[in-house]
Amino acid sequence: MTNRKPYLPAFIQKACILLLLITLSAGFLLPIQSCTASTGNQVELAQKRAQDMLARMSTQEKVGQLFLVTMDGMETTEGSQIRSLISTYHVGGVMLQRANDNFTNGYTTIQSAYDLISSLQQSEWEGSLVTSSEGVTPVYIPLLIGAAQEGDGAPYSQLLSGFTDIPNEMTLGAAWNTGLAEQNGQILGDELQKVGINLLIGPSLDVLELPGLEGGEDLGTRTFGGDPYWVGEMGKAFIKGIHTGSESKVAVMAKHFPGRGGSDRPTEEDVATVRKSLEQLKQIELAPFFAITSMSDPLAVTDGLLVSHIRYQGFQGNIRVTTRPVSFDSTALSQILSLPEFTGWRDAGGIILSEDLGSSAVRKFIDPTLLNFDARQTARNALQAGNDILYVDNFTASGDPDSYTSIVRTLDYFTQKYDEDPTFAQRVDASVLRILALKYELYPSFNLSAIIPPTDELNEIGKPSQIILDTAQSAAALINPSHAELPNVLPDPPDYTDRIVFLMDSSEYQQCASCAKQVDLASDSLRNAVLRLYGSAASGQVNQQRLSAFSFENLSQFLAGTAVDGTLEAEIKKANWVVVGLQKLDPNRPASSAFRQLLAERPEILRNKKVVVFAFNAPYYLDATDISNITAYYALYSKSQPFIDLAARILFQEVSPRSAPPVSIVGVGYDLITATSPDPAQVILLRLDLPETPATTPTADIVAGVATMPVYSMGDNIPLRTGVILDHNQHPVPNGTPVRFIIKTGADSSTTQQLEATTLGGIARAAYRISTNGFIEIRVVSEPAGTSEILQLDIPIGAGAGITAIAPTAIPSETPVPSETPLITPTITPYDAKDNSGQPTFWEWLLVMLIIGISASMVYSLGKRIHSMRWGIRWALCAIIGGVASYIYLAVGMPGGAAWLKLTGTTGMLVVVILCMCLGFAVGILWHAIHGRPGN
């Protein structure tokens, strides 16, 4: 037989070996945390790509990127206005709203929203394929598709039917649990990116300093609460959830910067004023924004800030000077953004987004007569003030027929100005560079297939989640009476013989103008929940014939004497229980105040009845007189079905709410500042602040009454720290809470020294330098908490001494709270944040490597037995290459990889790895068939 030529040239063999080594190194050394580039590297790469893209763009394309526009309806066909703005004028993004009829109703909401968003992105793609008459072909830059989704359905969420109705922000704040805030953010981020929305306007970081202020802005449940520290912590957690849930494909624009919680009027119709200096703003309004722009945790950092149209009186310290709206005041805005807390974030590419430049507030500020509105100058002034993205809705200038015409004229004006004014061009380029970098962070590759999400994920939207139920139960609070007094006024729940009247503040909403009206908190919603949980089909605790339900509209008619019949009055008179569901007091819904009117005008009709009130919105709308006529008052904050069911369980004493409100409630004397101050009943732990030591070595912790190492001598520093200091609600006190370490020296403790410190994460730290021999005693106070553990040491001359800890007299603990009956919940699919990463875990990596190793050994044995040791090694290496290459493809999130992992999990990954190993083995067999020869 004729000998064959060598099966491969030597240089090709060496190249294959090198490729094999690189592949194996990548696979075996690829930990989960390094599957993708670090966030810092991603930002740098995005900025470099943005610079390259900017150099390729025409003036018109650059100018278009600055504008976030709105559209009417859902029409995106050739010839439509929105199609023209996208493909011809290259606007940077589109904001979708219920008010503009951008969504349909019912089960088609999800699909129609997906189709609309896909069509908008497709329009941009198709526009980039058309060469102009001048021979210029536009670059393709994906659109920002924005929406506001504040939770708890209407009126502040845009996508309603089919989407998960996550709780509003105050509910999350009332849970006092950053983990739950993050998990709710994950749900929202996941659903937004599945439908194609990549820009979230929110969350609100306003601090509700004076809730229910007469004449001021009532933010209601649109804020996390009234404490700057907790608003910041909840904001960070929620933003982190948005980023992780969306796999960093949704950009977050936190609002309403620099904070409008203390404004003197609602901001929708007028430019409001906040009477505070910059130093005061730093303490309250700006503090949460400092938290979400801190670069300590990149995932918890907001991508941008929406600047509100608010003026500040006394901003520079002179109470007689008022700024322009900060969104148009370059001096005020730049002074705020130049604060050290913002400079790092801004340098890293942080975006500034203007509030709606066509709002009634802006128009009225420019011209109180509303006769003149110069759209071009308004947009120019906003850009020059420091805004990067200009949000324009209802942007019709005086004399223009519609908003489209005004936007086009503004774009043309900006284009001309760019070509004529180098300073203006420089300002435009700076903002466009930030916008492009943000888009590259969302989409490393500007490819249409990577921009439009797959349709097969739409059916995962809106599934019931245990997280919503957990949030509802964690947030619920008893406002009045106290827990100790409640058994005296409500010793037992309703029984089968009781008559119950339900009065609900029902409200209507629509997904679009032509969509059917739907009802929030329907008059029979709580009654139906009670029947489902405690009626004849359940425990049989209530009689359906003895339950009646009415709306506040019915109640209002009864009070006005216009009721059709006397049914409501008759039912109330016969009732043992009157159960009330409140929403927000809304001047646009006069019936929303019907219950307060009942308490004021007909209090006798409720006499000798058990009146139980549930606030399905903010809990501060009732005053002290109102609450004095109520048996029990609870706060639930949100009005979706899980919260209605929880109200039924609370009514029947199956659940005992134990949370505390995140805002002050004047009607019951609940002051948030007092509630978040240190609890005077606690004993503050006092420890040496030493590095943690292994369990096998002597511990540095102090055990009461026992002297432990280390030993201290004169001149040494004693590092001190407290335990976690708790507030009145048994949560860690806010950062910055003052703490005093008190040191007494001398045999008679006659000399006292104090070290001032503040808390971080509830813990305060200090260091005391020993300046004398003799007796030293150290304790700590944080007003009004004045009891702590005591550290003592007695240092002899020329020697050292250990520290003794003395525990103060124990303070009796409160009566233990009885355990609650577990909630009976429907079968649901929990939301698993772990699956959102689309990346394998360390243990999955270890399992894959083990399977690859075992399989490769088996292939080697087979090759050696059939042919030779050399071919056994070759076949094994082919199988290894197939397995490792497939694992790398899945781990680094290549197209389809992350989606496959999310869909199939570990099993799917193993299937792919094994199949690819088989494929590699097959290649090895083919290799032998072509190039094999005896002895090889």
Side-chain angles (χ1 to χ4, degrees):
M1 180 179 293
T2 303
N3 289 339
R4 297 180 182 180
K5 294 181 179 180
Y7 62 98
L8 280 176
F11 77 91
I12 295 182
Q13 296 183 50
K14 293 178 181 178
C16 291
I17 293 173
L18 179 61
L19 176 63
L20 172 64
L21 292 175
I22 293 174
T23 304
L24 293 177
S25 299
F28 286 106
L29 300 178
L30 184 67
I32 293 306
Q33 290 79 1
S34 61
C35 287
T36 58
S38 68
T39 302
N41 292 337
Q42 289 176 342
V43 171
E44 292 176 5
L45 182 59
Q47 291 176 341
K48 182 180 183 304
R49 289 174 172 172
Q51 291 172 343
D52 294 340
M53 177 63 76
L54 184 68
R56 297 164 50 197
M57 296 169 66
S58 67
T59 299
Q60 190 180 50
E61 290 174 301
K62 294 176 183 177
V63 165
Q65 286 298 308
L66 300 173
F67 288 82
L68 180 67
V69 303
T70 58
M71 61 179 289
D72 292 325
M74 304 175 65
E75 186 63 50
T76 62
T77 56
E78 197 71 39
S80 63
Q81 293 180 347
I82 191 63
R83 179 80 172 227
S84 172
L85 290 174
I86 292 172
S87 59
T88 303
Y89 294 95
H90 313 291
V91 295
V94 180
M95 188 73 176
L96 302 180
Q97 300 176 350
R98 285 193 302 127
N100 291 336
D101 294 337
N102 298 146
F103 308 109
T104 58
N105 198 14
Y107 68 93
T108 62
T109 301
I110 296 174
Q111 186 64 54
S112 64
Y114 176 88
D115 292 341
L116 171 62
I117 294 166
S118 299
S119 178
L120 292 172
Q121 296 287 14
Q122 183 75 30
S123 298
E124 170 63 21
W125 171 261
E126 293 173 357
S128 69
L129 303 178
V130 179
T131 303
S132 68
S133 56
E134 292 81 14
V136 177
T137 300
V139 295
Y140 170 64
I141 302 173
L143 296 168
L144 293 174
I145 306 295
Q149 196 77 355
E150 297 188 19
D152 198 31
Y156 300 116
S157 286
Q158 305 305 310
L159 294 155
L160 303 177
S161 302
F163 288 79
T164 300
D165 198 358
I166 67 167
N168 55 44
E169 289 186 27
M170 187 173 287
T171 309
L172 301 180
W176 304 92
N177 186 323
T178 55
L180 285 175
E182 182 177 342
Q183 290 172 326
N184 278 275
Q186 287 174 343
I187 295 174
L188 179 57
D190 177 61
E191 295 190 351
L192 290 178
Q193 70 88 15
K194 278 181 168 60
V195 82
I197 292 173
N198 56 21
L199 182 71
L200 175 66
I201 307 301
S204 166
L205 272 292
D206 296 311
V207 178
L208 197 55
E209 191 175 2
L210 298 172
L213 180 65
E214 197 69 31
E217 174 155 28
D218 179 19
L219 295 171
T221 54
R222 302 178 68 187
T223 172
F224 291 112
D227 183 88
Y229 167 75
W230 281 104
V231 171
E233 291 300 297
M234 292 296 170
K236 285 196 304 182
F238 190 75
I239 291 170
K240 183 174 183 178
I242 294 292
H243 285 148
T244 56
S246 68
E247 297 178 341
S248 295
K249 292 181 180 178
V250 173
V252 176
M253 298 287 144
K255 58 184 182 183
H256 302 89
F257 184 76
R260 69 183 196 187
S263 58
D264 64 345
R265 68 191 64 196
T267 58
E268 282 74 11
E269 299 298 327
D270 289 293
V271 172
T273 300
V274 174
R275 293 178 174 84
K276 289 188 178 181
S277 67
L278 179 57
E279 288 304 312
Q280 291 173 311
L281 291 175
K282 288 163 65 175
Q283 298 299 316
I284 305 295
E285 278 82 358
L286 286 173
F289 293 101
F290 291 158
I292 63 166
T293 53
S294 168
M295 307 302 288
S296 57
D297 183 354
L299 287 174
V301 174
T302 186
D303 301 282
L305 298 172
L306 181 142
V307 180
S308 190
H309 303 311
I310 293 184
R311 294 184 295 179
Y312 292 92
Q313 186 175 6
F315 183 78
Q316 299 287 358
N318 185 347
I319 196 63
R320 292 177 176 82
V321 177
T322 302
T323 68
R324 301 178 67 205
V326 70
S327 49
F328 295 100
D329 192 323
S330 60
T331 301
L333 184 57
S334 63
Q335 187 172 352
I336 295 172
L337 292 176
S338 64
L339 292 172
E341 292 84 353
F342 292 128
T343 52
W345 172 80
R346 189 71 170 145
D347 291 343
I351 294 280
I352 299 298
L353 167 66
S354 77
E355 202 169 20
D356 178 18
L357 298 179
S359 67
S360 297
V362 172
R363 292 171 179 271
K364 190 177 293 186
F365 174 78
I366 293 174
D367 180 10
T369 67
L370 298 178
L371 296 177
N372 298 300
F373 177 64
D374 189 336
R376 292 180 297 182
Q377 289 302 319
T378 300
R380 178 179 177 273
N381 291 340
L383 178 69
Q384 297 287 31
N387 296 281
D388 299 307
I389 300 178
L390 308 178
Y391 172 30
V392 291
D393 181 32
N394 190 26
F395 200 58
T396 307
S398 304
D400 286 345
D402 54 29
S403 182
Y404 169 79
T405 303
S406 298
I407 293 174
V408 169
R409 289 178 176 175
T410 302
L411 289 164
D412 289 340
Y413 167 71
F414 270 46
T415 301
Q416 180 182 355
K417 186 75 174 172
Y418 184 99
D419 292 334
E420 296 174 350
D421 185 347
T423 302
F424 184 80
Q426 187 178 16
R427 177 68 193 89
V428 170
D429 286 350
S431 288
V432 174
L433 192 62
R434 291 179 183 274
I435 296 167
L436 292 174
L438 174 63
K439 291 184 176 183
Y440 272 117
E441 288 179 37
L442 295 174
Y443 307 110
S445 173
F446 283 1
N447 187 291
L448 186 62
S449 61
I451 308 303
I452 299 177
T455 57
D456 56 6
E457 294 185 347
L458 295 180
N459 59 1
E460 299 177 14
I461 295 176
K463 291 184 177 180
S465 172
Q466 180 67 42
I467 293 169
I468 309 300
L469 301 177
D470 291 344
T471 305
Q473 189 170 8
S474 297
L478 173 64
I479 305 300
N480 193 69
S482 67
H483 285 282
E485 296 169 342
L486 184 63
N488 298 326
V489 296
L490 285 179
D492 299 301
D495 62 29
Y496 191 82
T497 63
D498 285 330
R499 289 185 176 274
I500 309 175
V501 172
F502 296 91
L503 301 175
M504 297 288 114
D505 183 13
S506 306
S507 59
E508 294 182 337
Y509 66 92
Q510 292 173 276
Q511 180 70 79
C512 62
S514 61
C515 297
K517 290 183 178 181
Q518 300 180 68
V519 180
D520 263 336
L521 206 63
S523 59
D524 59 354
S525 56
L526 184 51
R527 173 183 177 271
N528 292 341
V530 168
L531 286 174
R532 175 165 40 85
L533 297 171
Y534 304 103
S536 58
S539 60
Q541 290 175 248
V542 295
N543 182 347
Q544 181 173 349
Q545 304 305 317
R546 292 176 174 267
L547 308 185
S548 56
F550 303 90
S551 68
F552 273 25
E553 191 66 42
N554 301 138
L555 180 59
S556 183
Q557 292 169 357
F558 157 65
L559 293 171
T562 60
V564 176
D565 55 38
T567 304
L568 187 150
E569 181 177 12
E571 290 293 334
I572 292 180
K573 288 181 176 179
K574 292 186 295 183
N576 310 97
W577 295 73
V578 176
V579 181
V580 183
L582 300 179
Q583 291 202 63
K584 179 179 180 178
L585 285 181
D586 186 353
N588 298 318
R589 291 192 306 111
S592 64
S593 62
F595 180 65
R596 292 199 69 190
Q597 187 180 353
L598 175 67
L599 293 175
E601 298 177 5
R602 297 290 305 275
E604 80 285 350
I605 201 172
L606 299 176
R607 195 166 295 138
N608 299 323
K609 302 183 188 302
K610 297 179 178 67
V611 181
V612 179
V613 178
F614 295 98
F616 291 98
N617 201 270
Y620 48 70
Y621 295 114
L622 301 182
D623 60 27
T625 302
D626 296 330
I627 296 173
S628 67
N629 292 312
I630 293 172
T631 311
Y633 183 29
Y634 296 92
L636 297 182
Y637 309 99
S638 290
K639 59 185 184 299
S640 62
Q641 193 59 51
F643 292 84
I644 296 173
D645 290 348
L646 180 60
R649 298 182 188 280
I650 292 172
L651 178 64
F652 281 81
Q653 300 181 11
E654 184 180 346
V655 173
S656 176
R658 288 290 168 178
S659 190
V663 292
S664 297
I665 303 176
V666 176
V668 294
Y670 177 80
D671 178 63
L672 187 65
I673 295 178
T674 300
T676 54
S677 66
D679 181 5
Q682 70 185 303
V683 175
I684 301 175
L685 301 181
L686 183 56
R687 298 286 187 263
L688 295 179
D689 189 19
L690 299 176
E692 293 185 4
T693 55
T696 55
T697 63
T699 178
D701 280 343
I702 303 298
V703 180
V706 180
T708 62
M709 300 298 287
V711 172
Y712 292 97
S713 304
M714 191 174 71
D716 291 340
N717 281 325
I718 303 178
L720 304 167
R721 68 170 174 85
T722 68
V724 176
I725 301 174
L726 301 177
D727 65 15
H728 287 69
N729 296 326
Q730 303 308 299
H731 304 125
V733 294
N735 286 354
T737 299
V739 176
R740 289 181 295 125
F741 292 84
I742 301 174
I743 300 96
K744 294 184 177 181
T745 58
D748 56 356
S749 299
S750 57
T751 304
T752 301
Q753 181 179 349
Q754 296 189 12
L755 301 177
E756 304 285 342
T758 57
T759 58
L760 180 64
I763 297 173
R765 288 178 164 84
Y768 170 65
R769 182 175 180 81
I770 303 173
S771 59
T772 182
N773 293 308
F775 180 77
I776 300 174
E777 178 182 281
I778 307 171
R779 62 188 181 90
V780 65
V781 299
S782 182
E783 301 294 346
T787 306
S788 77
E789 293 183 333
I790 300 171
L791 304 185
Q792 294 180 345
L793 69 164
D794 195 351
I795 303 175
I797 297 175
I803 291 181
T804 300
I806 300 176
T809 304
I811 299 176
S813 60
E814 296 182 359
T815 304
V817 178
S819 59
E820 300 172 359
T821 304
L823 282 175
I824 303 172
T825 56
T827 301
I828 58 176
T829 304
Y831 184 86
D832 190 355
K834 176 186 67 177
D835 294 336
N836 261 351
S837 66
Q839 296 177 343
T841 64
F842 170 79
W843 297 110
E844 289 172 334
W845 166 80
L846 192 61
L847 178 61
V848 167
M849 295 301 112
L850 182 63
I851 290 177
I852 289 175
I854 294 174
S855 301
S857 299
M858 296 171 62
V859 171
Y860 164 75
S861 299
L862 179 63
K864 179 181 178 182
R865 185 179 300 112
I866 296 177
H867 295 289
S868 66
M869 178 184 296
R870 177 176 297 179
W871 278 108
I873 295 174
R874 291 170 179 170
W875 286 3
L877 290 178
C878 286
I880 291 173
I881 291 173
V884 173
S886 64
Y887 169 76
I888 294 174
Y889 188 94
L890 295 174
V892 301
M894 296 294 286
W900 174 258
L901 283 180
K902 288 177 63 179
L903 181 66
T904 62
T906 304
T907 302
M909 178 180 62
L910 294 180
V911 168
V912 171
V913 169
I914 292 172
L915 287 176
C916 288
M917 289 191 70
C918 293
L919 181 62
F921 181 31
V923 170
I925 294 175
L926 182 62
W927 182 8
H928 178 271
I930 296 174
H931 298 287
R933 56 193 172 114
N936 269 357

